[in-house]
């Protein structure tokens, strides 16, 4: 990706400005392995134990960091009483210390400047960088209104900047975790059950008798307790049914692997509904009591027989009937898993609706072994004046998508491109904790938007690709070096967890709360930041919960009693769902009124042309998106991705195991780097598969640069979900090139 005005800079900062001054002994420990080993050896005698919750992914497992007085971290282990991890971290969480020790980290603020006719980054002091950002934010507010500054965020740093943005007067906020990931399932389940699925998902896997994974890769998608519970369920003889064009890890543990033709899930889901209703296998008492629209659903699916679905999905009718009967026999302890990353074909909210309806027919929502009623503890807001009300924000920017419940990142990006029709012009971005280059499809749009901006700030711990396009780069310290908000997540029982610094921030990095406060003060928003240290905020919030910082420092996690009643529906209960009708909505009046299908329909999606294969992507248990690929500990475990290719395809193209190939998509976009071939029966002949997050093109990511291919770069076709604006990204096709198409990249 290259832009004309905002040329990518490879963070090779010239030391012309205020050079980092806060570098300390920690720096030398980070770069001198002899000293580091020496420190480790000596410190083994005396380790400090500090409470945190993991930020390697967003399951947020609570943990203990073991560090010494010299500032070295020896290990991170799970907190035994935490319901997110039960005392066990996944391999990524254990390797989280690599985020701290990575010598490629951003070390000091950087400002884009013109030096000798060349645009470059110049090291700057915090004052210089923050003053510049504050003056640009003031300028944009005065000229265009505060609404024209947008925040694109992910994870903990985003929360602190969200507070700053709301105080400043902008609600133009979005995160790729919605429209590029989970959004469709939240909208689909919300329309059906009146409740988002949320994270962690309230799937009662530990007690399930039948778990159906449809395009969901538990095991590769390493969300800690979900994997632990699935393993327990397998030990307890639960039936696992996996629907996937690839024999995933989960599929290999399943009694039934349905190798579905990609892009046909809704046809299978409708056929399963048909069997349940036709054979009277659905939970009649539950449906009569809690659901509405059953008759319309029955009429809708009457012709969607397994024979009809066979022609679409390639799954044999007897396999469809058999698996429907297995699900029904285990019901209500059956889970059709809602999935997590579900932005595939543009009809993803309807796909999620179909999954939700199937769960409704099986009576699994609110039942043991199905979905439990989750609960969380609410954390009091630290006192501050009310936020000003912006004239417009994410809702107006996404107004074409009536069921969007959060900012749509791609729409904010679109609103950053000036045009006559653009009523909501975005002029500046703060990008906090998200590498847009690897999370947002349609590079052209992203490139055009970035090129149109008046000002752009990136906050990150690492020199991710997006930093190269910023006017100012702010180095954030890692989760091991900072306070963040108290974790309060939904679960079977409410719990909170503390994150506090285990060691001092390395280099001249700072926590996001500090950056937000410093900017707030420069913008005259002192009343929103009435604390010197975020510790004061946390301490006050814990007091409101009847506990204290001192207590949490000792225990890390505190559980609370449920207040909302049982996790499951009881026989005599008259539960009201939070939908318009108070019932589970098989037929959605809301959708009908707005002209959308009130019950999901199967729509045929484009198929690959001859010589092309559908590009499927997924996760590795060792990595989280692109953010961990440079982590020294995790890179050691998996340093590049490979391309799964069916032996039939390998034979046609004469591909050998381990051979490097390049990819070119339907629009002529070529992979920047080669990828190694893995010939395997575990993938259908019409698809190829790779793990997401590799193929970094920033040389400052020393371990990750040039290793493997990037799926995101090959996603130029995006089908937008008309309900909530999600970006369907699985409609891209690639051909396999055995010769380097540019001859400029060394293998
Ligand atoms: S699942 Fe693993 S990476 Fe994610 S928060 Fe838990 S320990 Fe960290």
């Amino acid at each position: 990706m290259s832009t004309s005005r905002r040329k990518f800079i490879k963070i090779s900062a010239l030391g012309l400005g205020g050079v980092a001054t806060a570098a300390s002994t920690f720096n030398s420990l980070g770069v001198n392995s002899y000293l580091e080993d020496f420190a480790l050896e000596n410190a083994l005698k005396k380790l400090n134990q500090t409470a945190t919750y993991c930020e390697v992914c967003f399951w947020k497992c609570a943990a203990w960091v073991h560090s010494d007085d010299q500032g070295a971290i020896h290990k991170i282990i799970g907190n035994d009483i935490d319901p997110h991890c039960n005392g066990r971290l996944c391999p990524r969480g254990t390797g989280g210390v690599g985020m701290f020790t990575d010598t490629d980290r951003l070390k000091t603020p950087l400002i884009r400047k013109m030096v000798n006719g060349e645009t470059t980054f110049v090291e700057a002091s915090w004052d210089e960088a923050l003053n510049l950002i504050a003056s640009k934010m003031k300028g944009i507010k005065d000229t265009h209104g505060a609404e024209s500054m947008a925040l694109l965020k992910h994870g903990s740093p985003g929360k602190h900047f969200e507070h700053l943005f709301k105080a400043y007067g902008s609600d133009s906020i979005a995160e790729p975790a919605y429209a590029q990931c989970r959004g469709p399932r939240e909208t689909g389940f919300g329309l059906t059950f009146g409740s988002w699925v949320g994270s962690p998902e309230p799937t009662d896997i530990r007690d399930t008798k039948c778990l159906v994974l449809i395009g969901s890769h538990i095991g590769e998608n390493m969300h800690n307790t979900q994997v632990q519970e699935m393993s327990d369920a397998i030990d307890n003889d639960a039936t696992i049914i996996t629907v996937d064009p690839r024999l995933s890890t989960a599929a290999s543990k399943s009694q039934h692997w349905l190798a579905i033709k990609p892009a046909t899930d809704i046809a299978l889901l409708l056929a399963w509904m048909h069997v349940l209703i036709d054979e009277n296998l659905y939970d009649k008492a539950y449906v009569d009591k809690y659901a509405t629209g059953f008759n319309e659903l029955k009429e809708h699916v009457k012709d969607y027989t397994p024979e009809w679905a066979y022609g679409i999905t390639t799954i044999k009718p007897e396999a469809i009937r058999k698996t429907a009967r297995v699900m029904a026999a285990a019901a209500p302890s059956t889970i059709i898993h809602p999935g997590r990353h579900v932005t595939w074909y543009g009809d993803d909210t309807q796909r999620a609706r179909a999954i939700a309806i199937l769960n409704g027919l099986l009576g699994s929502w609110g039942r043991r072994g199905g979905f439990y009623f989750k609960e969380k503890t609410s954390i009091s807001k630290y006192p501050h004046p009310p936020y000003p009300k912006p004239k417009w924000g994410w809702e107006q920017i996404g107004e074409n998508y009536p069921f969007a419940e959060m900012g749509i990142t791609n729409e904010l990006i679109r609103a950053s491109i000036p045009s006559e029709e653009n009523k909501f012009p975005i002029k500046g971005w703060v990008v906090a904790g998200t590498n847009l280059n690897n999370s947002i499809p349609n590079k052209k749009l992203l490139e055009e938007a970035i090129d149109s901006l008046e000002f752009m700030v990136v906050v990150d711990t690492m020199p991710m690709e997006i930093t190269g396009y910023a006017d100012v780069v702010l180095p954030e310290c890692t989760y091991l070096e900072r306070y963040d908000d108290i974790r309060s997540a939904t679960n079977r029982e409410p719990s909170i967890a503390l994150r506090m610094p285990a060691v001092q921030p390395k280099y001249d990095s700072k926590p996001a709360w500090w950056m937000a406060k410093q900017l707030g003060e420069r913008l005259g928003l002192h009343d929103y930041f009435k604390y010197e240290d975020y510790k004061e905020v946390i301490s006050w919030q814990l007091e409101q919960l009847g506990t204290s910082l001192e207590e949490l420092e000792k225990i890390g996690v505190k559980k609370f009693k449920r207040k909302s009643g049982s996790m499951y529906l009881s026989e005599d209960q008259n539960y009201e769902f939070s939908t318009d009708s108070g019932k589970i909505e098989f037929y959605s009046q809301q959708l009908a009124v707005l002209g959308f299908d009130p019950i999901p329909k199967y729509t045929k999606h484009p198929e690959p042309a001859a010589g092309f294969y559908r590009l499927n992507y997924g996760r590795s248990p060792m990595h989280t998106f692109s953010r961990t690929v440079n982590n020294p500990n995790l890179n050691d475990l998996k340093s590049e991705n490979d391309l799964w290719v069916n032996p039939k395809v390998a034979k046609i193209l004469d591909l050998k195991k381990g051979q490097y190939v390049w990819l070119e998509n339907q629009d002529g976009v070529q992979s920047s780097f080669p990828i190694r071939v893995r010939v395997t029966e575990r993938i259908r002949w019409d698809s190829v598969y790779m793990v997401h997050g590799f193929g970094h093109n920033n040389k400052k990511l020393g371990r990750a640069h040039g290793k493997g291919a990037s799926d995101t770069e090959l996603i130029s076709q995006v089908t937008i979900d008309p309900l909530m604006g999600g970006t369907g990204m699985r409609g891209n096709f690639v051909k396999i090139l055995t010769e380097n198409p540019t001859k400029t990249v060394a293998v």
Side-chain angles (χ1 to χ4, degrees):
M1 176 171 159
S2 65
T3 62
S4 51
R5 186 181 70 81
R6 192 177 297 280
K7 206 171 150 224
F8 177 80
I9 306 176
K10 295 184 182 69
I11 310 274
S12 51
L14 294 177
L16 297 182
V19 179
T21 51
S24 65
T25 50
F26 304 117
N27 300 8
S28 54
L29 286 172
V31 295
N32 184 321
S33 64
Y34 166 73
L35 284 179
E36 192 162 304
D37 289 348
F38 181 75
L40 285 174
E41 237 181 80
N42 284 291
L44 276 173
K45 299 160 205 152
K46 190 176 92 176
L47 293 184
N48 308 311
Q49 177 171 292
T50 313
T52 192
Y53 55 89
C54 179
E55 176 116 331
V56 182
C57 89
F58 301 95
W59 205 251
K60 299 181 179 165
C61 300
W64 293 110
V65 184
H66 292 250
S67 60
D68 62 37
D69 291 339
Q70 286 72 42
I73 296 176
H74 292 236
K75 61 180 177 181
I76 308 172
I77 57 169
N79 184 322
D80 284 339
I81 58 169
D82 184 35
H84 289 232
C85 75
N86 301 322
R88 286 183 279 162
L89 298 186
C90 81
R92 292 171 303 162
T94 309
V97 67
M99 286 166 84
F100 169 69
T101 57
D102 194 334
T103 50
D104 289 343
R105 277 173 60 171
L106 291 168
K107 298 182 175 72
T108 186
L110 301 170
I111 295 179
R112 172 184 292 263
K113 284 190 179 162
M114 190 67 87
V115 178
N116 301 331
E118 280 279 321
T119 315
T120 188
F121 280 123
V122 175
E123 290 180 359
S125 68
W126 276 99
D127 263 347
E128 198 182 344
L130 294 167
N131 288 343
L132 175 62
I133 299 169
S135 78
K136 291 285 183 184
M137 285 180 75
K138 265 186 205 151
I140 287 178
K141 188 172 188 171
D142 292 346
T143 316
H144 309 285
E147 298 85 351
S148 288
M149 263 314 285
L151 172 64
L152 302 164
K153 68 183 180 82
H154 197 194
S156 305
K159 294 263 179 233
H160 300 295
F161 279 94
E162 185 169 351
H163 174 57
L164 170 71
F165 264 64
K166 288 187 169 165
Y168 163 79
S170 173
D171 201 18
S172 304
I173 299 171
E175 53 187 289
Y178 183 67
Q180 279 66 52
C181 192
R182 309 198 260 129
R185 79 162 194 198
E186 307 302 5
T187 303
F189 271 66
L191 283 163
T192 313
F193 293 111
S195 170
W196 277 27
V197 178
S199 177
E201 290 82 0
T203 43
D204 206 11
I205 299 176
R206 72 177 183 198
D207 282 331
T208 199
K209 294 188 185 129
C210 177
L211 175 62
V212 182
L213 302 173
I214 176 157
S216 179
H217 312 144
I218 298 179
E220 286 151 296
N221 189 0
M222 182 60 79
H223 285 139
N224 198 336
T225 31
Q226 202 162 229
V227 181
Q228 291 185 27
E229 291 197 17
M230 182 169 153
S231 161
D232 291 347
I234 291 170
D235 288 347
N236 293 332
D237 293 329
T239 303
I240 313 291
I241 299 170
T242 300
V243 181
D244 202 313
R246 181 177 66 95
L247 186 78
S248 60
T249 305
S252 69
K253 308 274 179 234
S254 302
Q255 284 83 347
H256 305 272
W257 171 40
L258 308 181
I260 194 167
K261 179 176 172 180
T264 66
D265 292 357
I266 295 181
L268 173 65
L269 292 161
L270 291 169
W272 270 338
M273 290 179 211
H274 170 95
V275 177
L276 293 181
I277 294 173
D278 189 55
E279 297 188 12
N280 241 334
L281 297 173
Y282 68 97
D283 189 332
K284 189 166 185 325
Y286 179 94
V287 167
D288 286 349
K289 188 169 179 182
Y290 292 118
T292 176
F294 176 75
N295 290 336
E296 290 90 338
L297 178 67
K298 184 177 177 182
E299 177 63 22
H300 181 76
V301 299
K302 76 176 189 317
D303 296 327
Y304 296 141
T305 61
E307 286 70 22
W308 164 81
Y310 176 39
I312 298 168
T313 62
T314 71
I315 299 171
K316 295 211 165 97
E318 40 295 11
I320 297 176
R321 287 206 168 80
K322 189 172 179 184
T323 45
R325 288 169 194 152
V326 170
M327 288 178 218
S333 300
T334 296
I335 301 166
I336 320 297
H337 198 282
R340 194 154 172 118
H341 177 80
V342 289
T343 39
W344 293 0
Y345 305 110
D347 54 359
D348 303 301
T349 300
Q350 292 289 10
R351 180 181 170 278
R353 279 262 300 147
I355 291 174
I357 291 170
L358 196 58
N359 278 302
L361 282 173
L362 292 161
S364 66
W365 192 266
R367 309 291 280 281
R368 185 180 291 279
F371 294 78
Y372 58 81
F373 293 121
K374 60 198 176 185
E375 190 178 315
K376 74 187 273 191
T377 296
S378 91
I379 308 286
S380 303
K381 291 261 178 281
Y382 193 71
H384 62 73
Y387 293 128
K389 195 166 166 30
K391 293 195 196 75
W392 51 270
W394 66 265
E395 280 185 76
Q396 288 70 29
I397 295 169
E399 65 187 0
N400 293 333
Y401 302 96
F403 293 98
E405 292 174 82
M406 287 177 73
I408 305 170
T409 312
N410 34 306
E411 288 303 299
L412 258 75
I413 291 172
R414 202 179 300 282
S416 309
I417 300 170
S419 77
E420 294 216 340
E421 303 85 65
N422 185 357
K423 295 180 282 176
F424 309 112
I426 297 290
K427 300 292 179 186
W429 290 0
V430 171
V431 182
T434 177
N435 187 20
L436 296 177
N437 302 62
N438 274 48
S439 56
I440 296 293
N442 197 341
K443 288 286 162 287
K444 269 194 176 164
L445 191 77
L446 182 62
E447 182 177 321
E448 205 183 333
I450 289 177
D451 207 26
S452 307
L453 293 175
E454 290 181 12
F455 191 64
M456 177 173 164
V457 180
V458 174
V459 179
D460 214 309
T461 59
M462 294 295 297
M464 306 309 282
E465 281 76 7
I466 191 67
T467 54
Y469 300 90
D471 293 295
V472 181
V473 179
L474 299 181
E476 193 197 11
C477 57
T478 68
Y479 72 101
L480 299 162
E481 303 160 294
R482 66 186 195 225
Y483 282 105
D484 265 317
D485 283 324
I486 297 166
R487 183 205 79 189
S488 173
T490 55
N491 225 307
R492 291 184 175 93
E493 56 181 338
S495 69
I496 55 169
L498 174 69
R499 176 184 287 163
M500 57 184 291
V503 288
Q504 291 294 311
K506 266 193 177 191
Y507 313 114
D508 199 9
S509 62
K510 300 278 187 192
W513 70 259
W514 181 89
M515 299 177 208
K517 175 179 160 62
Q518 292 296 319
L519 285 169
E521 284 173 356
R522 284 165 172 79
L523 290 163
L525 304 168
H526 315 269
D527 289 351
Y528 293 87
F529 296 91
K530 284 190 162 171
Y531 43 84
E532 287 309 309
D533 193 316
Y534 210 65
K535 190 177 174 177
E536 295 162 41
V537 175
I538 294 171
S539 185
W540 181 86
Q541 289 172 322
L542 290 172
E543 276 167 29
Q544 311 311 303
L545 288 169
T547 176
S548 66
L549 186 56
E550 289 69 36
E551 186 186 8
L552 262 288
E553 281 174 358
K554 286 194 196 104
I555 57 179
V557 170
K558 189 173 174 73
K559 295 180 180 177
F560 295 87
K561 286 212 162 63
R562 282 179 71 93
K563 290 188 182 150
S564 61
S566 169
M567 284 196 291
Y568 309 115
L569 292 165
S570 58
E571 292 279 312
D572 52 353
Q573 198 174 352
N574 275 322
Y575 184 81
E576 194 166 310
F577 287 80
S578 301
T579 52
D580 285 355
S581 62
K583 304 264 187 186
I584 300 167
E585 297 199 346
F586 290 165
Y587 179 96
S588 170
Q589 195 61 40
Q590 273 193 82
L591 288 175
V593 165
L594 291 174
F596 296 108
D597 292 334
I599 305 176
K601 278 186 190 148
Y602 164 69
T603 316
K604 190 169 168 19
H605 296 292
E607 296 195 17
F612 282 82
Y613 304 92
R614 186 176 294 276
L615 175 63
N616 285 339
Y617 56 86
R619 300 276 299 269
S620 152
M622 303 307 169
H623 288 292
T624 305
F625 321 136
S626 63
R627 69 204 312 266
T628 58
V629 177
N630 205 67
N631 177 316
N633 300 341
L634 303 180
N635 186 277
D636 262 2
L637 299 173
K638 185 172 176 66
S639 60
E640 63 187 289
N641 55 358
D642 46 21
L643 186 75
W644 292 36
V645 176
N646 185 278
K648 282 185 198 150
V649 177
K651 194 168 176 202
I652 294 167
L653 299 175
D654 194 24
L655 300 176
K656 303 279 178 296
K657 179 183 163 202
Q659 172 183 356
Y660 279 97
V661 294
W662 288 257
L663 301 171
E664 180 176 316
N665 82 358
Q666 69 287 328
D667 298 322
V669 178
Q670 292 166 344
S671 58
S672 299
F673 303 104
I675 182 168
R676 221 165 20 188
V677 168
R678 172 178 176 179
V679 180
T680 172
E681 295 277 3
R682 292 174 62 177
I683 181 102
R684 281 174 61 107
W685 63 269
D686 52 6
S687 305
V688 292
Y689 168 82
M690 66 168 79
V691 168
H692 168 78
F694 289 85
H696 283 275
N697 64 16
N698 191 350
K699 286 188 176 152
K700 286 292 159 186
L701 295 167
R703 287 168 215 90
H705 175 256
K707 296 287 176 57
S710 161
D711 54 301
T712 314
E713 130 180 287
L714 296 162
I715 298 174
S716 54
Q717 285 294 323
V718 178
T719 315
I720 307 286
D721 189 316
L723 278 79
M724 49 62 68
T727 49
M729 299 183 272
R730 291 280 175 98
N732 288 269
F733 312 109
V734 290
K735 64 180 174 189
I736 299 169
L737 312 174
T738 50
E739 295 282 317
N740 180 350
T742 59
K743 302 280 183 204
T744 56
V745 183
V747 180

